[in-house]
């Protein structure tokens, strides 16, 4: 089984209650269940983690080295200002994929810039839980490319 780590940043523990017009009504646990199930279809064992604390997220990314093969990360508001999380992503050999439930480019200007995305392989934004599911497809692609087993 491939090991994939999904990290959810601040306030995402409140999904289902928080600004449901923007983020939808699924709870974080419902999203995690969907992500784990889809991961199994790709032969991935998905670990999920949520923290409201920048340093904890930094340490979780460090700990992924030698453990996870891909990181899927929704840094929440840290997306827009955490150089520490960006540096952590850049400091490990594990490739990361940045996801957002909402389309950050269609929202307030303060959300238009992601300081973390340049340290990711790529970013998926705006598809709700589908952003995480699409990230699993992208992770599968990354793994197959790395192994040389990708076929059209
Ligand atoms: C978010 C977008 C961020 O701007 C916001 O601070 C979040 C959630 C998203 O998933 O759409 O907390 O990362």
């Amino acid at each position: 089984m491939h090991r994939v780590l999904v990290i959810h940043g601040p306030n995402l523990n409140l999904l289902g209650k928080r600004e449901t017009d923007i983020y939808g009504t699924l709870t974080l646990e419902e999203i995690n269940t969907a992500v784990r199930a889809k991961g199994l279809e790709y032969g991935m064992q998905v670990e999920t983690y949520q923290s409201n604390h920048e340093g904890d997220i930094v340490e979780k990314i460090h700990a992924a080295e030698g453990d996870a093969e891909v990181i899927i990360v929704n840094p929440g508001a840290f997306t827009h200002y955490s150089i520490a999380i960006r540096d952590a992503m850049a400091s490990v050999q594990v490739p990361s994929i940045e996801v957002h439930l909402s389309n950050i480019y269609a929202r307030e200007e303060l959300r238009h810039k992601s300081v973390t995305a340049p340290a990711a392989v790529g970013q998926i934004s705006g598809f709700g839980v589908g952003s995480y599911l699409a990230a699993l497809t992208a992770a599968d692609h990354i793994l197959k490319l790395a192994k040389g087993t990708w076929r059209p």
Side-chain angles (χ1 to χ4, degrees):
M1 291 279 256
H2 290 291
R3 290 183 54 80
V4 172
L5 171 64
V6 175
I7 300 177
H8 307 281
N11 301 304
L12 295 170
N13 54 311
L14 297 181
L15 284 176
K17 292 189 282 229
R18 170 194 184 202
E19 299 181 275
T20 51
D21 49 324
I22 297 169
Y23 298 118
T25 53
L26 290 182
T27 64
L28 186 62
E29 206 31 61
E30 286 169 333
I31 288 176
N32 284 339
T33 300
V35 169
R36 278 194 291 265
K38 185 78 184 167
L40 283 178
E41 290 176 23
Y42 282 121
M44 298 168 183
Q45 188 186 326
V46 179
E47 177 191 348
T48 58
Y49 173 83
Q50 190 275 331
S51 176
N52 295 319
H53 305 283
E54 186 179 27
D56 289 347
I57 293 172
V58 167
E59 285 177 4
K60 191 70 184 172
I61 292 169
H62 293 173
E65 187 92 89
D67 184 19
E69 291 166 83
V70 179
I71 299 170
I72 295 171
V73 56
N74 181 348
F78 289 140
T79 303
H80 312 298
Y81 66 93
S82 177
I83 309 296
I85 291 176
R86 173 200 177 125
D87 285 351
M89 289 161 67
S91 298
V92 296
Q93 295 297 314
V94 190
S96 39
I97 300 166
E98 180 168 310
V99 298
H100 298 285
L101 293 153
S102 62
N103 179 353
I104 58 173
Y105 303 100
R107 298 183 60 195
E108 310 97 297
E109 202 173 337
L110 62 91
R111 297 183 204 277
H112 292 182
K113 184 168 176 62
S114 169
V115 301
T116 47
V121 177
Q123 184 201 61
I124 301 163
S125 175
F127 299 95
V129 64
S131 294
Y132 290 90
L133 302 179
L136 289 171
T137 304
D140 177 61
H141 194 75
I142 289 170
L143 291 167
K144 285 183 175 144
L145 279 178
K147 276 197 303 183
T149 57
W150 185 84
R151 296 287 174 273

